[in-house]
Amino acid sequence: MLPQIPPPADRRIALRVTPEAQHALRQGHPWLFDQAIVHQSHAGAAGDLAVVFDDRRRFLAIGLYDPTSPLRVRILQHGHPAAIDEAWLHARIAAAAALRADLPATGTTGYRLIHGENDGLPGLVVDRYEDTLVVKLYTAAWLPWLSRVLPALTAVQPCARVVLRLSRKLLDRDEGLCGLREGLLTGAGFDAAAGLVQFSEHGLRFEADVLRGQKTGFFLDQRENRARVERLARGKRVLNVFAYTGGFSLYAARGGAREILSVDLSAPALDAARRNFDLNRRAAAVAAARHLTQVADAFDALAALRERGERYDLVIVDPPAFAKRAAEVDAALRAYARLTALALGVTRPGGLLVSASCSSRVDAELFFTTVKRAAEAAGRPLYERERTGHASDHPIGFPEGAYLKCLYAVAG
Ligand code: SAH
């Protein structure tokens, strides 16, 4: 249930910003940082509306103010003024839903419905898992708006229940939450102790722990890469490192892989991977595939498998984001290089390496070059077959929105 959260102030904050920020806003960029503000009419609370003017006092953009974040304003609308109300929210949500309208016909009932800034709703993510909507907030600025977002959301996307998730940053500053907790917001039929929901992706059944799982419970952004792996898996011995709940593994199994080893540091994730296999045993190829799991650090496991002489025809490497801040980029690149060399150590010559990076701070070109150079340095050059990004329900609305990159390459 929604606690009483004070509504946003009626009075809008007026902002003047640096020429660089004016330029970025004219280009449609959704972020305004605190250092870019040169004049502010009055102090505001999280969720108040802020209007940004140019040097000639013309309207540039309107957005949600967040005094607790260096990302001070998340822009809702550029170019011309608008009343930000339930009708406005409804229109944005409906536009986002229209982009995903063809997904259910592909046997997919789990997908991202609202992808934050990339769908014109910065800091707000909504994932659909069949009849459950999971709302994830990345800024306190959405809290006073929740009572308007929910009716708009459920009008566009009828559902049985809505579950709330909060970003780590929001959870850490408990006092601003006005008693709001993660969990069921509206609806019924949800076992909060288990937190589990089921859904389909391209006809495969999966469970997701929408309360404790990473992101909102599943890495929906890899759906199309998983489908590609399915098409490449026939007859193969597959290694899936950073397997989480076995998404790539299950697709490989349905694609006819003989054997799949799923490696992850998280024992609960691999327990879920085994349950996901059980959910799909009626698919003959899934029933026929041998699926093994190993709880281990990926770097250690790769070195040990190599030592034992294990070799695979298809190796999938999909690590967590190694660089969330600019200062972490160099270390991330070194980690990608190390992982590449380790993964090639267990890839048979002529085998396929699928290597992904979801670090938004690591530029795609730099990632691909790093992987290829590491392969050359290891004496196992890569022959590139394909480069891909996120699934279609994760549109790219601004440069920072392009975070996922994936290389498919044959190992020499
Ligand atoms: N490929 C997955 C998503 C992977 S997310 C999918 O399609 O669903 C990254 C995973 O890496 C998480 O499950 C996390 O538990 C795991 N992880 C993080 N650090 C690790 C490490 N050092 N060794 C092994 N797994 C790790």
Side-chain angles (χ1 to χ4, degrees):
M1 275 297 132
L2 267 186
Q4 281 304 318
I5 301 172
D10 289 335
R11 188 169 163 225
R12 297 171 171 199
I13 300 163
L15 298 175
R16 301 271 298 277
V17 300
T18 61
E20 296 74 34
Q22 291 177 42
H23 178 74
L25 292 179
R26 278 200 192 91
Q27 305 295 307
H29 203 282
W31 292 343
L32 178 69
F33 287 94
D34 54 350
Q35 308 104 309
I37 296 173
V38 294
H39 182 262
Q40 177 167 344
S41 58
H42 58 277
D48 287 353
L49 288 169
V51 182
V52 189
F53 295 95
D54 71 7
D55 289 339
R56 293 163 62 188
R57 295 179 186 276
R58 287 175 309 195
F59 175 95
L60 270 179
I62 183 166
L64 294 178
Y65 185 78
D66 182 355
T68 67
S69 171
L71 213 172
R72 193 53 49 92
V73 182
R74 292 169 207 247
I75 304 301
L76 297 171
Q77 166 129 345
H78 297 84
H80 54 92
I84 307 298
D85 52 18
E86 205 174 309
W88 184 94
L89 289 165
H90 189 283
R92 277 284 155 98
I93 296 167
L99 286 180
R100 282 86 174 167
D102 55 348
L103 278 172
T106 67
T108 299
T109 60
Y111 53 88
R112 178 146 296 189
L113 182 65
I114 297 176
H115 189 34
E117 352 319 68
N118 305 286
D119 280 305
L121 292 162
L124 176 69
V125 160
V126 181
D127 288 340
R128 180 160 202 128
Y129 293 97
E130 219 150 274
D131 51 6
T132 303
L133 294 181
V134 184
V135 172
K136 184 151 182 183
L137 305 184
Y138 288 87
T139 164
W142 279 109
L143 297 175
W145 290 88
L146 261 185
S147 58
R148 274 172 263 196
V149 169
L150 284 179
L153 185 61
T154 50
V156 174
Q157 290 273 307
C159 62
R161 64 197 68 86
V162 180
V163 171
L164 179 71
R165 293 284 302 267
L166 301 168
S167 69
R168 167 86 7 236
K169 237 188 211 154
L170 279 183
L171 287 172
D172 286 348
R173 46 176 297 277
D174 195 42
E175 85 284 2
L177 295 178
C178 307
L180 195 66
R181 298 246 171 282
E182 288 193 313
L184 192 67
L185 271 183
T186 64
F190 179 68
D191 177 357
L196 296 180
V197 298
Q198 281 192 17
F199 64 99
S200 296
E201 216 189 60
H202 291 133
L204 283 170
R205 292 298 282 171
F206 287 97
E207 67 165 49
D209 183 338
V210 295
L211 282 184
R212 282 161 295 262
Q214 301 192 42
K215 292 207 177 193
T216 63
F218 204 70
F219 289 84
L220 299 164
D221 52 359
Q222 286 285 28
R223 184 178 58 256
E224 286 165 16
N225 283 319
R226 288 190 280 267
R228 236 179 225 94
V229 160
E230 175 174 7
R231 297 194 288 274
L232 296 165
R234 183 152 308 279
K236 292 190 173 157
R237 186 169 197 234
V238 178
L239 175 63
N240 181 13
V241 267
F242 305 98
Y244 191 49
T245 55
F248 278 104
S249 303
L250 199 44
Y251 274 78
R254 190 171 65 174
R258 288 186 273 130
E259 182 188 308
I260 307 117
L261 173 59
S262 298
V263 176
D264 201 283
L265 206 49
S266 159
L270 290 177
D271 291 343
R274 282 191 297 274
R275 288 197 297 275
N276 284 332
F277 266 77
D278 289 340
L279 287 176
N280 293 279
R281 295 254 174 244
R282 60 189 155 50
V286 174
R290 182 160 180 245
H291 180 230
L292 308 167
T293 57
Q294 187 185 345
V295 179
D297 171 77
F299 294 83
D300 295 345
L302 284 167
L305 289 167
R306 175 193 196 151
E307 207 51 35
R308 291 213 308 269
E310 303 287 354
R311 296 295 178 267
Y312 296 87
D313 309 302
L314 171 55
V315 177
I316 302 142
V317 183
D318 181 25
F322 286 145
K324 290 193 172 141
R325 286 191 297 272
E328 294 166 344
V329 168
D330 284 346
L333 292 175
R334 283 195 297 277
Y336 288 127
R338 231 178 105 221
L339 264 181
T340 302
L342 284 166
L344 286 170
V346 295
T347 310
R348 71 159 176 78
L352 190 69
L353 176 68
V354 178
S355 182
S357 162
C358 61
S359 303
S360 56
R361 293 287 183 168
V362 174
D363 162 80
E365 206 54 50
L366 196 52
F367 171 67
F368 294 131
T369 310
T370 301
V371 170
K372 286 183 175 178
R373 288 217 178 114
E376 270 157 35
R380 299 288 305 280
L382 287 172
Y383 301 92
E384 180 174 333
R385 279 181 59 167
E386 217 177 343
R387 294 176 181 197
T388 63
H390 358 60
S392 58
D393 53 342
H394 292 62
I396 299 168
F398 70 128
E400 291 84 344
Y403 63 94
L404 184 64
K405 41 263 169 200
C406 190
L407 179 72
Y408 293 69
V410 175

XYZ file of all heavy atoms in Angstrom, residues 126-191:
518
model
N 10.004 0.023 -15.578
C 8.907 -0.909 -15.296
C 9.111 -2.155 -16.141
O 9.248 -2.077 -17.366
C 7.518 -0.302 -15.608
C 6.423 -1.310 -15.271
C 7.291 0.982 -14.817
N 9.185 -3.298 -15.485
C 9.283 -4.572 -16.187
C 7.997 -5.340 -15.990
O 7.408 -5.325 -14.904
C 10.468 -5.388 -15.659
C 11.800 -4.810 -16.107
O 11.818 -4.041 -17.103
O 12.817 -5.102 -15.466
N 7.590 -6.009 -17.051
C 6.391 -6.823 -16.968
C 6.800 -8.287 -16.883
O 7.609 -8.748 -17.679
C 5.528 -6.592 -18.210
C 4.288 -7.407 -18.179
C 3.158 -6.936 -19.084
N 1.970 -7.517 -18.478
C 0.884 -6.877 -18.145
N 0.770 -5.615 -18.412
N -0.100 -7.502 -17.555
N 6.306 -9.009 -15.884
C 6.499 -10.460 -15.815
C 5.101 -11.067 -15.828
O 4.464 -11.192 -14.770
C 7.234 -10.856 -14.535
C 8.673 -10.372 -14.479
C 9.015 -9.214 -13.802
C 9.689 -11.084 -15.117
C 10.326 -8.770 -13.746
C 11.011 -10.646 -15.066
C 11.314 -9.494 -14.378
O 12.613 -9.056 -14.326
N 4.622 -11.323 -17.015
C 3.272 -11.853 -17.211
C 2.249 -10.918 -16.560
O 2.087 -9.794 -17.029
C 3.170 -13.278 -16.693
C 2.303 -14.127 -17.603
C 2.704 -15.579 -17.604
O 3.600 -15.967 -18.385
O 2.104 -16.343 -16.839
N 1.588 -11.318 -15.466
C 0.573 -10.412 -14.910
C 1.084 -9.595 -13.722
O 0.314 -9.015 -12.979
C -0.713 -11.173 -14.551
C -0.422 -12.394 -13.697
O 0.762 -12.557 -13.299
O -1.343 -13.173 -13.408
N 2.412 -9.549 -13.565
C 3.015 -8.727 -12.509
C 3.825 -7.590 -13.142
O 4.647 -7.844 -14.025
C 3.970 -9.573 -11.640
O 3.238 -10.668 -11.094
C 4.585 -8.755 -10.520
N 3.583 -6.377 -12.685
C 4.434 -5.265 -13.110
C 5.390 -4.945 -11.966
O 4.970 -4.846 -10.811
C 3.605 -4.018 -13.430
C 2.653 -4.086 -14.626
C 1.937 -2.745 -14.801
C 3.387 -4.449 -15.908
N 6.666 -4.808 -12.282
C 7.640 -4.423 -11.278
C 8.127 -3.011 -11.600
O 8.686 -2.770 -12.670
C 8.834 -5.399 -11.238
C 9.790 -5.009 -10.110
C 8.350 -6.834 -11.051
N 7.849 -2.093 -10.673
C 8.261 -0.704 -10.842
C 9.555 -0.517 -10.082
O 9.614 -0.804 -8.883
C 7.177 0.239 -10.258
C 7.663 1.680 -10.251
C 5.879 0.115 -11.052
N 10.597 -0.056 -10.762
C 11.851 0.192 -10.049
C 12.215 1.670 -10.170
O 12.295 2.208 -11.274
C 12.972 -0.693 -10.587
C 14.248 -0.516 -9.790
C 15.114 -1.744 -9.758
C 16.345 -1.510 -8.899
N 17.247 -2.623 -8.885
N 12.417 2.290 -9.020
C 12.739 3.720 -8.986
C 14.222 3.910 -8.744
O 14.799 3.290 -7.856
C 11.955 4.425 -7.874
C 10.440 4.276 -7.894
C 9.826 5.121 -6.781
C 9.871 4.679 -9.258
N 14.816 4.802 -9.537
C 16.233 5.120 -9.385
C 16.452 6.510 -8.805
O 17.583 6.949 -8.652
C 16.950 4.978 -10.734
C 17.086 3.529 -11.144
C 16.073 2.872 -11.845
C 18.212 2.801 -10.782
C 16.185 1.535 -12.186
C 18.344 1.464 -11.123
C 17.327 0.840 -11.816
O 17.441 -0.486 -12.145
N 15.362 7.239 -8.535
C 15.492 8.557 -7.911
C 14.298 8.801 -6.990
O 13.164 8.403 -7.306
C 15.564 9.694 -8.951
O 15.309 10.948 -8.284
C 14.543 9.533 -10.063
N 14.590 9.494 -5.865
C 13.526 9.843 -4.916
C 12.508 10.774 -5.572
O 11.393 10.942 -5.067
C 14.132 10.513 -3.692
N 12.883 11.390 -6.690
C 11.987 12.344 -7.350
C 10.688 11.688 -7.824
O 9.677 12.367 -8.008
C 12.699 12.993 -8.532
N 10.694 10.379 -8.019
C 9.457 9.723 -8.468
C 8.506 9.415 -7.309
O 7.325 9.150 -7.534
C 9.766 8.426 -9.237
C 10.136 8.686 -10.660
C 11.364 8.550 -11.231
C 9.264 9.138 -11.713
N 11.330 8.891 -12.554
C 10.043 9.259 -12.876
C 7.902 9.468 -11.788
C 9.510 9.686 -14.108
C 7.372 9.896 -13.006
C 8.171 10.002 -14.136
N 9.016 9.450 -6.070
C 8.166 9.033 -4.942
C 6.864 9.840 -4.860
O 5.785 9.255 -4.765
C 8.946 9.107 -3.622
C 10.160 8.180 -3.507
C 10.906 8.434 -2.202
C 9.727 6.720 -3.583
N 6.930 11.191 -4.906
C 5.679 11.952 -4.803
C 4.774 11.773 -6.021
O 3.621 12.206 -5.996
C 6.157 13.406 -4.721
C 7.614 13.361 -4.461
C 8.108 12.057 -4.992
N 5.286 11.163 -7.073
C 4.512 10.980 -8.300
C 3.880 9.597 -8.392
O 3.090 9.336 -9.297
C 5.411 11.223 -9.521
C 5.786 12.658 -9.647
C 6.855 13.291 -9.066
C 5.070 13.668 -10.355
N 6.847 14.619 -9.370
C 5.769 14.888 -10.175
C 3.908 13.666 -11.137
C 5.328 16.085 -10.743
C 3.479 14.868 -11.709
C 4.183 16.053 -11.498
N 4.258 8.717 -7.462
C 3.801 7.321 -7.568
C 2.279 7.220 -7.619
O 1.735 6.405 -8.373
C 4.315 6.515 -6.367
C 5.561 5.665 -6.575
C 5.826 4.858 -5.317
C 5.416 4.741 -7.781
N 1.602 8.054 -6.824
C 0.144 7.950 -6.772
C -0.480 8.349 -8.107
O -1.641 8.048 -8.367
C -0.414 8.822 -5.645
O -0.009 10.152 -5.853
N 0.278 9.043 -8.967
C -0.235 9.356 -10.303
C 0.278 8.372 -11.351
O -0.394 8.114 -12.336
C 0.177 10.777 -10.701
C -0.807 11.802 -10.185
C -0.310 13.192 -10.399
N 0.312 13.673 -9.174
C 0.582 14.944 -8.929
N 0.311 15.858 -9.830
N 1.119 15.298 -7.786
N 1.482 7.866 -11.118
C 2.049 6.899 -12.074
C 1.231 5.609 -12.064
O 0.924 5.045 -13.125
C 3.533 6.592 -11.723
C 4.046 5.408 -12.532
C 4.403 7.822 -11.955
N 0.860 5.156 -10.880
C 0.200 3.845 -10.774
C -1.115 3.763 -11.549
O -1.304 2.813 -12.324
C -0.009 3.460 -9.315
C 1.259 2.987 -8.600
C 0.948 2.664 -7.150
C 1.853 1.767 -9.294
N -2.047 4.740 -11.390
C -3.287 4.646 -12.171
C -3.022 4.696 -13.673
O -3.649 3.956 -14.439
C -4.109 5.861 -11.720
C -3.401 6.459 -10.573
C -2.049 5.860 -10.447
N -2.078 5.554 -14.090
C -1.777 5.653 -15.527
C -1.217 4.321 -16.027
O -1.605 3.810 -17.081
C -0.786 6.788 -15.761
N -0.314 3.758 -15.235
C 0.341 2.506 -15.619
C -0.668 1.364 -15.740
O -0.694 0.629 -16.735
C 1.396 2.175 -14.556
C 2.290 0.985 -14.792
C 3.106 1.181 -16.065
C 3.229 0.793 -13.598
N -1.514 1.241 -14.736
C -2.430 0.100 -14.749
C -3.576 0.320 -15.737
O -4.198 -0.638 -16.182
C -2.974 -0.197 -13.334
O -3.459 1.018 -12.758
C -1.893 -0.750 -12.440
N -3.832 1.585 -16.121
C -4.830 1.825 -17.170
C -4.276 1.363 -18.513
O -4.984 0.743 -19.315
C -5.194 3.303 -17.226
N -2.995 1.651 -18.768
C -2.386 1.253 -20.050
C -2.126 -0.250 -20.056
O -2.312 -0.918 -21.073
C -1.054 2.015 -20.274
C -0.349 1.511 -21.528
C -1.313 3.513 -20.370
N -1.682 -0.785 -18.943
C -1.258 -2.183 -18.860
C -1.980 -2.871 -17.706
O -1.419 -2.995 -16.612
C 0.248 -2.251 -18.615
C 1.083 -1.838 -19.780
C 1.362 -2.986 -20.723
O 1.838 -4.035 -20.322
N 1.050 -2.795 -21.988
N -3.207 -3.301 -17.916
C -3.904 -4.000 -16.841
C -3.049 -5.169 -16.343
O -2.374 -5.830 -17.139
C -5.177 -4.505 -17.528
C -5.374 -3.583 -18.688
C -3.996 -3.207 -19.141
N -3.058 -5.396 -15.036
C -2.220 -6.439 -14.464
C -2.844 -6.900 -13.157
O -3.768 -6.270 -12.648
C -0.810 -5.895 -14.209
S -0.810 -4.544 -13.042
N -2.322 -7.993 -12.620
C -2.876 -8.519 -11.371
C -2.262 -7.830 -10.156
O -2.866 -7.788 -9.095
C -2.635 -10.024 -11.298
N -1.026 -7.324 -10.320
C -0.355 -6.734 -9.167
C 0.814 -5.861 -9.613
O 1.346 -6.038 -10.723
C 0.147 -7.817 -8.210
C 1.201 -8.728 -8.774
C 1.357 -10.000 -7.967
N 0.187 -10.862 -8.078
C 0.008 -11.757 -9.061
N 0.907 -11.914 -10.010
N -1.075 -12.505 -9.116
N 1.179 -4.934 -8.730
C 2.356 -4.092 -8.973
C 3.295 -4.232 -7.777
O 2.874 -4.087 -6.633
C 1.969 -2.603 -9.158
C 3.212 -1.759 -9.418
C 0.960 -2.428 -10.283
N 4.544 -4.539 -8.068
C 5.563 -4.705 -7.029
C 6.560 -3.549 -7.159
O 6.926 -3.166 -8.276
C 6.274 -6.074 -7.199
C 7.492 -6.173 -6.280
C 5.299 -7.215 -6.929
N 6.976 -3.011 -6.030
C 7.921 -1.889 -6.046
C 9.331 -2.348 -5.701
O 9.528 -3.109 -4.756
C 7.483 -0.827 -5.029
C 8.400 0.401 -4.918
C 8.288 1.280 -6.153
C 8.084 1.213 -3.670
N 10.295 -1.894 -6.483
C 11.710 -2.061 -6.136
C 12.374 -0.694 -6.104
O 12.007 0.197 -6.874
C 12.429 -2.944 -7.178
C 11.994 -4.385 -7.209
C 12.550 -5.197 -6.057
N 14.002 -5.224 -5.944
C 14.778 -6.151 -6.482
N 14.262 -7.130 -7.212
N 16.091 -6.126 -6.312
N 13.348 -0.541 -5.222
C 14.061 0.727 -5.094
C 15.539 0.493 -5.357
O 16.075 -0.568 -5.006
C 13.864 1.291 -3.685
C 12.400 1.538 -3.285
C 12.282 1.812 -1.791
C 11.805 2.701 -4.081
N 16.181 1.468 -5.989
C 17.610 1.323 -6.261
C 18.379 1.301 -4.942
O 17.891 1.762 -3.913
C 18.106 2.489 -7.115
O 18.087 3.672 -6.350
N 19.574 0.769 -5.004
C 20.427 0.691 -3.804
C 20.566 2.068 -3.145
O 20.447 2.220 -1.939
C 21.791 0.106 -4.235
C 22.916 0.193 -3.291
C 23.075 -0.887 -2.240
N 22.210 -2.046 -2.310
C 21.422 -2.449 -1.324
N 21.342 -1.763 -0.207
N 20.707 -3.531 -1.437
N 20.756 3.090 -3.983
C 20.921 4.463 -3.478
C 19.701 4.895 -2.664
O 19.830 5.501 -1.609
C 21.072 5.407 -4.668
C 22.344 6.203 -4.638
C 22.332 7.245 -5.731
C 23.736 7.510 -6.215
N 23.786 7.987 -7.571
N 18.526 4.588 -3.152
C 17.302 4.971 -2.444
C 17.162 4.196 -1.141
O 16.767 4.747 -0.117
C 16.083 4.718 -3.317
C 15.771 5.775 -4.373
C 14.501 5.442 -5.110
C 15.629 7.121 -3.706
N 17.494 2.921 -1.185
C 17.377 2.095 0.030
C 18.335 2.591 1.104
O 18.026 2.547 2.295
C 17.672 0.636 -0.301
C 16.581 -0.084 -1.098
C 17.061 -1.455 -1.550
C 15.312 -0.223 -0.264
N 19.503 3.087 0.659
C 20.509 3.534 1.620
C 20.080 4.790 2.368
O 20.512 5.022 3.496
C 21.855 3.780 0.912
C 22.521 2.458 0.560
O 22.048 1.416 1.064
O 23.487 2.456 -0.226
N 19.241 5.613 1.727
C 18.812 6.825 2.456
C 17.332 6.697 2.828
O 16.454 7.371 2.316
C 19.082 8.099 1.673
C 18.678 8.071 0.212
C 18.906 9.411 -0.420
N 18.078 10.417 0.198
C 16.806 10.629 -0.129
N 16.214 9.880 -1.028
N 16.117 11.597 0.463
N 17.163 5.814 3.779
C 15.867 5.381 4.263
C 14.933 6.536 4.628
O 13.732 6.501 4.394
C 16.140 4.501 5.495
C 14.943 3.702 5.891
O 14.288 3.190 4.981
O 14.669 3.626 7.097
N 15.501 7.617 5.187
C 14.638 8.644 5.808
C 13.778 9.391 4.789
O 12.709 9.885 5.116
C 15.469 9.609 6.691
C 16.123 10.773 5.976
C 17.362 10.352 5.173
O 17.706 9.152 5.132
O 17.995 11.242 4.595
N 14.206 9.429 3.537
C 13.430 10.161 2.532
C 12.286 9.356 1.953
O 11.553 9.834 1.084
N 12.094 8.140 2.426
C 11.152 7.244 1.751
C 9.720 7.346 2.287
O 8.822 6.709 1.767
C 11.635 5.786 1.870
C 12.949 5.480 1.144
C 13.365 4.033 1.377
C 12.823 5.746 -0.342
N 9.523 8.161 3.322
C 8.182 8.357 3.901
C 7.500 7.024 4.207
O 6.286 6.864 3.991
C 7.282 9.159 2.967
S 7.971 10.700 2.436
N 8.265 6.070 4.655
C 7.678 4.788 5.044
C 7.451 3.829 3.884
O 6.942 2.724 4.080
N 7.808 4.242 2.701
C 7.613 3.360 1.547
C 8.600 2.192 1.607
O 9.771 2.365 1.920
C 7.855 4.164 0.263
C 7.359 3.532 -1.025
C 5.838 3.457 -1.002
C 7.826 4.322 -2.226
N 8.098 0.993 1.311
C 8.943 -0.212 1.360
C 8.881 -0.922 0.026
O 7.901 -0.803 -0.702
C 8.406 -1.191 2.407
C 8.399 -0.692 3.808
C 9.387 -1.485 4.670
N 9.529 -0.868 5.969
C 10.265 0.219 6.196
N 10.925 0.790 5.219
N 10.347 0.729 7.403
N 9.916 -1.715 -0.239
C 9.865 -2.579 -1.408
C 8.806 -3.654 -1.175
O 8.572 -4.060 -0.046
C 11.217 -3.256 -1.611
C 12.295 -2.327 -2.100
C 13.514 -3.097 -2.583
O 13.955 -4.006 -1.855
O 14.004 -2.813 -3.674
N 8.170 -4.089 -2.233
C 7.173 -5.148 -2.103
C 5.905 -4.809 -2.857
O 5.902 -3.928 -3.722
N 4.843 -5.514 -2.476
C 3.581 -5.369 -3.197
C 2.984 -3.976 -2.989
O 2.788 -3.544 -1.856
C 2.606 -6.439 -2.692
C 1.335 -6.625 -3.513
C 1.642 -7.184 -4.894
C 0.357 -7.548 -2.775
N 2.681 -3.289 -4.081
C 2.062 -1.959 -3.988
C 0.554 -2.048 -4.158
O -0.201 -1.433 -3.422
C 2.604 -1.048 -5.099
C 3.848 -0.234 -4.847
C 4.136 0.644 -6.056
C 3.694 0.630 -3.603
N 0.131 -2.776 -5.181
C -1.305 -2.970 -5.408
C -1.524 -4.396 -5.889
O -0.603 -5.034 -6.391
C -1.860 -2.023 -6.491
O -1.235 -2.355 -7.724
C -1.608 -0.575 -6.157
N -2.764 -4.863 -5.742
C -3.121 -6.190 -6.242
C -2.946 -7.248 -5.180
O -2.688 -6.947 -4.013
N -3.057 -8.486 -5.611
C -2.995 -9.608 -4.671
C -2.392 -10.808 -5.386
O -1.943 -10.719 -6.527
C -4.406 -9.932 -4.182
N -2.386 -11.935 -4.665
C -1.931 -13.187 -5.272
C -0.426 -13.236 -5.406
O 0.101 -13.790 -6.368
N 0.277 -12.627 -4.463
C 1.736 -12.598 -4.528
C 2.282 -13.047 -3.194
O 1.946 -12.485 -2.152
C 2.188 -11.176 -4.853
C 3.679 -11.001 -4.921
C 4.420 -11.597 -5.940
C 4.348 -10.232 -3.975
C 5.787 -11.431 -6.012
C 5.718 -10.058 -4.041
C 6.433 -10.657 -5.065
N 3.106 -14.074 -3.227
C 3.716 -14.583 -2.004
C 5.002 -13.797 -1.759
O 6.037 -14.068 -2.370
C 4.000 -16.089 -2.193
C 4.716 -16.680 -0.975
O 5.039 -15.913 -0.040
O 4.931 -17.899 -0.972
